[in-house]
Amino acid sequence: MKKIVKVLQAIFGLIIIGLLTWGGYKLLLAVALLFKSVDPTLGAGMLAASATVLVSVVSVLFSKKQEHKVDIENQLRVKKIPIYENIIEFIFLITFAEKLGKAQPTEQEMIAFFADTTRDLVIWGSKDIVKAFGDFKDKLGTLAVCGDTAGMLATVEDFLFAIRKDLGHKHTKIKRGDILRLYINDVDAYFPRLNKACQQDIA
């Protein structure tokens, strides 16, 4: 039964497309005959006026589309900023917990953080930031097991770069370590351990 319904829907769709195409053709033919039958001077004026109206309509539609796109981006930005702030706050908590006299997050708190962040990014995150967060989780776990501190720092910074990029910041003049050194004093000591690819500028 469902197959029959789908076939009928496809047939009706083709019929409607055919009718619209035929109607458009007849309309264009009628307009062409109209311009052909009038005085050339008057026809040129009508053509110019029609072109002006068409350009105006297209401009308005394009402007509305751009406004709608910007409006959606602004609404998404409002939702994303608190998520990114929570992520950075958690990263800083892990980094400065001892110096601030605070306890490191427990395993349950870590699990809750990643679960909540994953949920929020699935809803509000762009495809690039979702991928960046997935890479961040995978690499961080692997590098932690290996004890690769330099790799972990690079992974954290890559994710911070992704967050900034998603918010519209440019990174053409920012290099590896420029964000890390804002809160890690001896970050330069880890750079020799980074591979050549990691030492390249962040685009």
Side-chain angles (χ1 to χ4, degrees):
M1 184 65 182
K2 291 183 178 179
K3 291 183 178 180
I4 296 176
V5 172
K6 289 183 178 180
V7 171
L8 290 175
Q9 289 177 341
I11 293 174
F12 284 128
L14 291 174
I15 292 174
I16 292 173
I17 292 174
L19 291 174
L20 290 174
T21 302
W22 177 254
Y25 168 75
K26 298 296 288 186
L27 178 62
L28 290 175
L29 184 61
V31 171
L33 291 173
L34 176 62
F35 279 111
K36 188 176 180 180
S37 63
V38 299
D39 181 76
T41 304
L42 179 59
M46 292 175 62
L47 183 61
S50 300
T52 301
V53 171
L54 180 61
V55 170
S56 299
V57 170
V58 171
S59 298
V60 170
L61 292 176
F62 180 76
S63 177
K64 290 295 183 181
K65 182 178 180 180
Q66 291 299 108
E67 289 177 3
H68 182 63
K69 181 179 178 181
V70 171
D71 186 51
I72 291 176
E73 290 176 351
N74 289 336
Q75 291 182 34
L76 288 175
R77 186 187 301 272
V78 170
K79 294 292 185 179
K80 288 189 289 189
I81 289 176
I83 299 172
Y84 296 160
E85 288 177 340
N86 288 336
I87 292 172
I88 294 174
E89 181 179 353
F90 195 80
I91 292 174
F92 282 14
L93 174 61
I94 295 174
T95 305
F96 297 114
E98 184 176 348
K99 294 181 179 179
L100 296 175
K102 297 182 179 180
Q104 286 281 353
T106 64
E107 182 179 354
Q108 290 299 319
E109 289 174 335
M110 295 282 287
I111 293 174
F113 163 75
F114 280 108
D116 292 342
T117 303
T118 300
R119 177 201 62 207
D120 293 337
L121 292 181
V122 166
I123 298 173
W124 303 111
S126 65
K127 61 178 181 180
D128 291 337
I129 204 69
V130 168
K131 183 180 184 305
F133 185 65
D135 293 342
F136 171 72
K137 289 173 58 179
D138 294 342
K139 292 180 181 179
L140 206 59
T142 302
L143 294 170
V145 172
C146 298
D148 186 353
T149 304
M152 291 174 63
L153 290 176
T155 299
V156 171
E157 189 172 46
D158 285 341
F159 186 52
L160 296 178
F161 277 129
I163 289 176
R164 288 175 52 82
K165 183 178 180 180
D166 193 53
L167 292 175
H169 296 292
K170 303 296 183 183
H171 294 148
T172 52
K173 295 184 179 180
I174 296 183
K175 298 183 177 67
R176 167 69 72 214
D178 283 352
I179 290 182
L180 292 175
R181 64 169 45 94
L182 294 177
Y183 62 97
I184 300 177
N185 294 330
D186 59 345
V187 69
D188 289 336
Y190 296 101
F191 285 176
R193 295 180 57 192
L194 296 174
N195 59 43
K196 185 177 181 181
C198 289
Q199 293 175 357
Q200 293 177 351
D201 294 355
I202 303 299

